[in-house]
Amino acid sequence: MIDLKLTMRGGTFSAAAALAVGVLFSLPSVAQETATPESGYTDVNDPFEPMNRAIFSFNLGFDKIILRPTALAYRAVLPAPARESATNFLDNLESPVIFLNDLLQAKPRRAANTLARFSINTVIGFFGFFDPAEDMGLARHDEDFAQTLGAWGVSPGPYLVLPLLGPLPPRDTIGFVADIFTDPMTYILREHRTANLALYGVDLVNEREQVIEEFDELEKTSVDYYAAIRSLYRQRMNDLIRDGEPDMDNLPSFDDDEISDTP
Amino acid sequence: MFMRLNFTRLFAATLLTAAVLCHTIAIAATNPPAFIEKLTYSALETLGDQAIGEKERYSKFHALLSDNVDMPRVGRFVLGANWRKADTAQQAEFQKLYKDYLISAYAGRLKDYTRAKIRIKNTTGVGKNEYLVSSQVTNPNNPEPVSVDWRLRESEDKLLVLDMTIEGISMALTQRSEFASIIQKNGGDINALLARMRSSAGAVSDGEQVSIAN
């Protein structure tokens, strides 16, 4: 429901910008241990907050004026089954990146699942427009290089909001760039830059359409929308890194004497 | 002699059975999965009930929260370190406003889920008196199930909700982060948060808007 990975998948310019930012803030240090609740939830770790808030406002403006209205128009024009087919098609195109990251995380079962899904949906599912694999009990899962880095124990680094790209701390910026470079579509459409950009555009609008109500409600009910998104982004990334398994060892304590002093 | 022995055995067996039965009943009294199923059913029924007015819906939802959520504890948690910095009057007002805030926030977010179905996946013990109930919520208009984990605390044979985690996003942690941020932005002034909550909760306590959060 709340898919926060509203990241635009690329474009040459954004890739270069993201890379520059990644270099600027240097490689995140490899943490001694995997994420503690402090790194994931409670610690704000937002040294660039004023700049981040400014970019966040800019992104919100872009969303209000361009992205959200486009997503609404997209919803109005395409009936639900067509949108579902578009989602299936775009999801299927992500399979090579998911497969690679399944392997990098040494998860052979999930890799086999991704490979089977890709084969079935490409062939029987008419180039991925349908998802017969799901009906065969092969549920889709998500992976990318940011999650792989997280699974390897790389901490996300300071919170960072990038223009048009949204929340992307250094670890996830590097992951985002790596995803572009490992995506076969980047090379298949090398000669067709417009087609590639159009694909990214459709992907972005299609993803935005699916969360219109969720983000409307969230914005309406938040006392601090920026802080809410910051917290949501981190928690969601950690959940994706753990493949949806609750982090039983790092549950926050509700005991009065243990309620953390860090916000 | 034989007869007597058998009777003793029979007596012992009966006692044992009774003890086991009582124990089972005691466990059943705090059955986390059943508690969650019942709670979500009541909440969605209240939100989807066309026969009642907004004022009644609000009071029903209010009662549901008070009876099933450990509101004072959750309130202290979401205020975090600021709870100890607040004076008694601020603490009391926060607790009152927090309840209205929750209703306005969740009644709005849940209104699309009135026909949702919940399936309990598993229940794990947390510490000595808490549980994490993992569930999957399926909405008729969305094929993708949403995973929701419920954190429960058992106290005096009664279960109370502490937190709800949707797709890995804990409501309590998110609120704590927001509340801390707004207080910090205003130089540590808790009244800034209270003022913000007063304005967003105002409409709800008047009983005007429950399904349309403001």
Side-chain angles (χ1 to χ4, degrees), chain A residues 4 159 167-169 172 229-237:
Chain A
L4 271 171
Y159 186 66
L168 271 184
D172 303 348
I229 295 281
R230 181 176 63 195
S231 176
L232 251 65
Y233 177 81
R234 285 194 175 131
Q235 293 186 58
R236 182 73 182 126
M237 273 311 288

Side-chain angles (χ1 to χ4, degrees), chain A residues 150-228:
Chain A
W152 288 350
V154 178
S155 61
Y159 186 66
L160 213 55
V161 184
L162 300 186
L164 302 181
L165 298 173
L168 271 184
R171 177 195 67 196
D172 303 348
T173 302
I174 290 164
F176 170 73
V177 175
D179 291 340
I180 294 169
F181 280 108
T182 53
D183 184 351
M185 289 312 283
T186 306
Y187 305 98
I188 292 168
L189 294 176
R190 192 201 294 263
E191 306 296 318
H192 309 278
R193 192 153 287 173
T194 324
N196 201 9
L197 280 175
L199 195 62
Y200 287 131
V202 173
D203 194 20
L204 181 67
V205 172
N206 184 55
E207 282 201 26
R208 183 66 183 92
E209 186 277 327
Q210 292 169 36
V211 290
I212 292 175
E213 281 73 22
E214 279 82 358
F215 279 87
D216 285 356
E217 280 295 334
L218 185 68
E219 186 173 5
K220 248 196 310 189
T221 55
S222 291
V223 294
D224 185 337
Y225 194 33
Y226 170 85

Side-chain angles (χ1 to χ4, degrees), chain A residues 244-249 251, chain B residues 30-33 36 120-135 148-154 159 162:
Chain A
E245 285 299 316
D247 195 358
M248 298 304 288
D249 298 331
L251 290 175
Chain B
T30 60
N31 179 338
I36 289 301
I120 308 291
K121 274 164 55 195
N122 57 58
T123 303
T124 322
V126 181
K128 55 185 196 304
N129 60 344
E130 289 181 6
Y131 301 93
L132 195 74
V133 179
S134 297
S135 69
V148 184
D149 296 340
W150 308 81
R151 179 93 172 264
L152 301 179
R153 192 182 182 100
E154 187 179 58
L159 288 168
L162 290 178

Side-chain angles (χ1 to χ4, degrees), chain A residues 92-104:
Chain A
N92 197 47
L93 287 185
E94 284 173 15
S95 300
V97 171
I98 297 175
F99 178 70
L100 174 72
N101 286 286
D102 285 335
L103 290 181
L104 289 172

Side-chain angles (χ1 to χ4, degrees), chain A residues 1-2 4 41-42 44 49 53 84 134 140 213-214 217-233 235-236 239 242 244-246 248 251-263, chain B residues 73-74 76-77 80-81 84 101 104-105 108-109 111-113 124-126 130 132 134 143-144 146 149 151 153 162-163 166-170 172-174 176-182 185 193 196-197 212-214:
Chain A
M1 173 185 69
I2 306 171
L4 271 171
Y41 307 123
T42 47
V44 170
E49 186 169 335
R53 278 194 186 265
E84 205 184 317
E134 177 91 47
R140 179 181 192 273
E213 281 73 22
E214 279 82 358
E217 280 295 334
L218 185 68
E219 186 173 5
K220 248 196 310 189
T221 55
S222 291
V223 294
D224 185 337
Y225 194 33
Y226 170 85
I229 295 281
R230 181 176 63 195
S231 176
L232 251 65
Y233 177 81
Q235 293 186 58
R236 182 73 182 126
D239 185 62
R242 291 190 311 272
E245 285 299 316
M248 298 304 288
L251 290 175
S253 170
F254 280 80
D255 293 329
D256 286 313
D257 51 344
E258 279 182 50
I259 285 177
S260 167
D261 277 338
T262 41
Chain B
R73 184 176 298 277
V74 178
R76 291 193 296 273
F77 176 86
R84 265 165 269 156
Y101 171 76
S104 79
R109 279 183 221 180
K111 69 173 187 290
D112 297 328
Y113 280 82
T124 322
V126 181
E130 289 181 6
L132 195 74
S134 297
E144 293 275 315
V146 176
D149 296 340
R151 179 93 172 264
R153 192 182 182 100
L162 290 178
D163 195 9
I166 302 170
E167 295 284 330
I169 297 161
S170 145
L173 282 171
T174 309
R176 182 159 77 170
S177 185
E178 273 192 74
F179 292 174
S181 177
I182 195 168
K185 260 199 307 184
L193 171 68
R196 180 72 178 79
M197 291 176 89
I212 305 152
N214 195 357

Side-chain angles (χ1 to χ4, degrees), chain A residues 61-80:
Chain A
F62 173 79
D63 183 63
K64 289 231 154 63
I65 296 164
I66 297 171
L67 188 53
R68 189 178 173 278
T70 312
L72 280 170
Y74 174 78
R75 177 183 284 182
V77 170
L78 279 191

Side-chain angles (χ1 to χ4, degrees), chain B residues 56-74:
Chain B
E56 196 184 345
R57 197 190 312 279
Y58 168 79
S59 62
K60 273 190 161 183
F61 210 72
H62 202 278
L64 208 60
L65 274 188
S66 306
D67 294 347
N68 296 289
V69 180
D70 194 342
M71 290 302 298
R73 184 176 298 277
V74 178

